[in-house]
């Protein structure tokens, strides 16, 4: 958090609050600065993204659900904004140890190398996802749920503003893994700040009911998105994870998202209905009628004769059941048409030659 304090000190705290009279390494000042940054910065990181999400991504149809509480958005905002100052106080007590140099945050990528820098991203998310899963699951134990976690589950159908609407101790417990991680393994300071902001955005996004996980098999298997967390609020004992489904699968608490399953079932039924309609529609339509012929066949067509009358094999083909005819791609149609024209021309030429020979012989 020292980077955030440096920025806040340069632009706000030194000129407006401390008047450059208190050194930045003073413990009392560090505690006050941390609290203000967490309190004001936390409120802004909640209000701005949640508001944008609510107006541009959140499906307002959720507000028509029978489990939506009248005036719910105002209630979510009231609980969140009253909890953030209290959560900030608890976070300050942890972060002061970071400022005093007891964490494993580092400044330069070269300290541990680029490969470790990249690996630390994976390690951070896997480590915090594991702790959040178990802390969240323990908060559902009756003795803890009733007093700590129940306020957050008041919102059966959540909005983005529900993301931070919980008891202060609940918010601190579920945010604690992000702070304890930097005491376990090295994390670059800038990277930690970026991941902290990204986690805040993710927390808001999984409460908006906007099912934005790509329809890729691996993504649907791995990512714990808004569809999963919606089911957590609706069915209570499933999908405790933060960003992945791994620990829910290991812990036996995984539920395939209800809304996704309904959409997939509807899509499958639609495909079956279309297939049945195609199967029951009767005959396969003949290929496009050729209009460029030579010889007597061309003349007959120009006079109004059908191609089927001049070419019995084509008439038989058109009358064949669809199921017996193989599907043809466009270039195959062109090849078939060329062969048909050649056969008609050869037959027309042979018939003309026989008549000519017969006339000469007579």
């Amino acid at each position: 958090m020292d980077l955030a304090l440096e920025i806040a000190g340069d632009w706000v705290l030194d000129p407006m609050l401390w008047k450059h009279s208190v050194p930045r390494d003073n413990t009392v000042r560090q505690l006050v600065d941390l609290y203000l940054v967490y309190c004001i910065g936390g409120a802004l990181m909640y209000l701005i993204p949640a508001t944008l999400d609510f107006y541009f991504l959140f499906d307002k149809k959720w507000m028509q659900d029978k489990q939506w509480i009248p005036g719910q958005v105002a209630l979510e905002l009231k609980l969140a904004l009253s909890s953030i100052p209290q959560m900030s106080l608890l976070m300050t007590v942890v972060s002061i140890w970071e400022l005093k140099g007891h964490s494993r945050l580092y400044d330069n990528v070269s300290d541990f190398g680029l490969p470790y820098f990249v690996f630390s991203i994976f390690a951070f998310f896997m480590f915090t996802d594991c702790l959040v899963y178990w802390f969240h699951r323990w908060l559902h134990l009756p003795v803890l749920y009733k007093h700590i976690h129940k306020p957050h589950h008041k919102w059966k159908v959540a909005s983005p503003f529900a993301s931070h609407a919980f008891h202060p101790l609940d918010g601190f417990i579920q945010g604690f893994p992000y702070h304890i991680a930097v005491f376990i393994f090295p994390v670059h300071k800038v990277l930690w700040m970026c991941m902290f902001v990204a986690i805040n955005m993710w927390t808001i996004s999984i409460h908006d009911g906007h099912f934005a996980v790509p329809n890729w098999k691996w993504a649907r298997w791995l990512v714990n998105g808004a569809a999963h967390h919606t089911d957590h609020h609706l069915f209570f004992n499933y999908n405790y994870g933060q960003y992945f489904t791994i620990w829910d699968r290991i812990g036996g608490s995984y539920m395939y998202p209800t809304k996704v399953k309904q959409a997939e079932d509807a899509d499958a039924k639609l495909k079956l209905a279309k297939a049945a309609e195609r199967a029951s529609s009767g005959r396969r339509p003949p290929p496009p009628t050729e209009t460029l012929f030579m010889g007597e066949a061309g003349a007959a067509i120009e006079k109004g004769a059908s191609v089927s009358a001049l070419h019995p094999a084509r008439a038989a083909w058109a009358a064949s059941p669809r199921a017996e005819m193989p599907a043809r791609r466009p270039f195959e149609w062109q090849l078939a048409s060329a062969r048909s024209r050649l056969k008609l021309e050869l037959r027309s030429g042979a018939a003309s030659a026989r008549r000519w020979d017969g006339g000469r012989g007579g």
Side-chain angles (χ1 to χ4, degrees), residues 124 127-132 135 172-182 192:
F124 181 85
F127 175 81
T128 56
D129 190 58
C130 174
L131 289 189
V132 168
F135 288 175
F172 171 74
I173 290 172
Q174 295 199 59
F176 186 65
Y178 311 124
H179 294 274
I180 197 175
V182 300
W192 184 84

Side-chain angles (χ1 to χ4, degrees), residues 37-350:
V37 167
Y38 272 127
C39 192
I40 299 173
L44 292 175
M45 283 202 303
Y46 161 64
L47 288 172
I48 296 173
T51 301
L52 293 173
D53 193 322
F54 181 81
Y55 283 105
F56 294 105
L57 293 177
F58 178 62
D59 188 349
K60 306 305 185 296
K61 291 180 180 178
W62 286 107
M63 300 173 71
Q64 308 302 320
D65 191 276
K66 63 181 181 180
Q67 298 191 78
W68 180 268
I69 302 171
Q72 179 172 314
V73 170
L75 294 172
E76 291 170 341
L77 282 165
K78 180 180 178 181
L79 179 57
L81 294 177
S82 64
S83 296
I84 287 174
Q86 300 173 69
M87 287 187 288
S88 299
L89 189 61
L90 297 171
M91 294 294 185
T92 297
V93 176
V94 177
S95 293
I96 189 64
W97 296 98
E98 298 172 20
L99 289 183
K100 294 300 184 182
H102 298 292
S103 73
R104 304 194 67 183
L105 291 167
Y106 65 94
D107 294 293
N108 302 310
V109 175
S110 58
D111 291 346
F112 291 89
L114 184 59
Y116 178 80
F117 177 87
V118 175
F119 169 77
S120 66
I121 301 174
F122 170 80
F124 181 85
F125 282 113
M126 293 301 294
F127 175 81
T128 56
D129 190 58
C130 174
L131 289 189
V132 168
Y133 171 82
W134 288 110
F135 288 175
H136 189 182
R137 187 161 185 170
W138 292 334
L139 285 169
H140 277 254
L141 296 174
V143 64
L144 297 176
Y145 178 82
K146 180 179 179 181
H147 302 288
I148 299 175
H149 195 50
K150 188 176 180 178
H152 185 62
H153 274 271
K154 179 179 182 179
W155 332 112
K156 299 296 182 183
V157 177
S159 83
F161 295 109
S163 58
H164 292 60
F166 33 48
H167 188 284
L169 190 56
D170 185 0
F172 171 74
I173 290 172
Q174 295 199 59
F176 186 65
Y178 311 124
H179 294 274
I180 197 175
V182 300
F183 292 93
I184 304 298
F185 54 88
V187 181
H188 190 276
K189 289 182 178 180
V190 175
L191 178 62
W192 184 84
M193 289 289 295
C194 292
M195 290 190 294
F196 188 79
V197 172
I199 290 165
N200 182 77
M201 303 294 185
W202 181 260
T203 302
I204 292 170
S205 74
I206 62 175
H207 288 86
D208 65 8
H210 183 66
F211 310 141
V213 177
N215 192 19
W216 304 327
K217 187 174 182 180
W218 69 267
R220 290 292 174 91
W221 187 93
L222 179 65
V223 178
N224 182 79
H228 299 80
H229 201 70
T230 296
D231 278 356
H232 175 72
H233 277 259
L234 290 172
F235 304 111
F236 188 74
N237 288 323
Y238 302 94
N239 300 342
Y240 297 103
Q242 178 74 349
Y243 359 87
F244 305 125
T245 64
I246 295 173
W247 287 101
D248 277 301
R249 295 176 187 276
I250 293 173
S253 55
Y254 176 74
M255 171 186 279
Y256 193 77
T258 304
K259 291 294 183 182
V260 175
K261 183 68 167 60
Q262 290 173 353
E264 290 176 347
D265 289 346
D267 186 56
K269 289 179 181 178
L270 181 61
K271 289 180 179 178
L272 287 174
K274 288 183 177 180
E277 182 181 356
R278 287 195 300 269
S280 62
S281 62
R283 309 294 184 181
R284 179 188 182 100
T289 301
E290 295 84 2
T291 59
L292 298 177
F293 288 91
M294 296 178 64
E296 295 180 5
I301 291 174
E302 289 178 358
K303 293 178 181 179
S306 67
V307 177
S308 298
L310 295 169
H311 198 327
R314 183 174 295 278
W317 186 91
S320 300
R322 178 194 303 218
E324 297 178 3
M325 303 308 300
R328 293 188 175 185
R329 293 182 292 272
F331 74 90
E332 292 176 326
W333 286 112
Q334 297 170 7
L335 181 60
S337 299
R339 288 174 178 170
S340 299
R341 288 196 297 269
L342 180 60
K343 288 179 181 179
L344 284 172
E345 292 167 11
L346 291 174
R347 291 180 182 179
S348 176

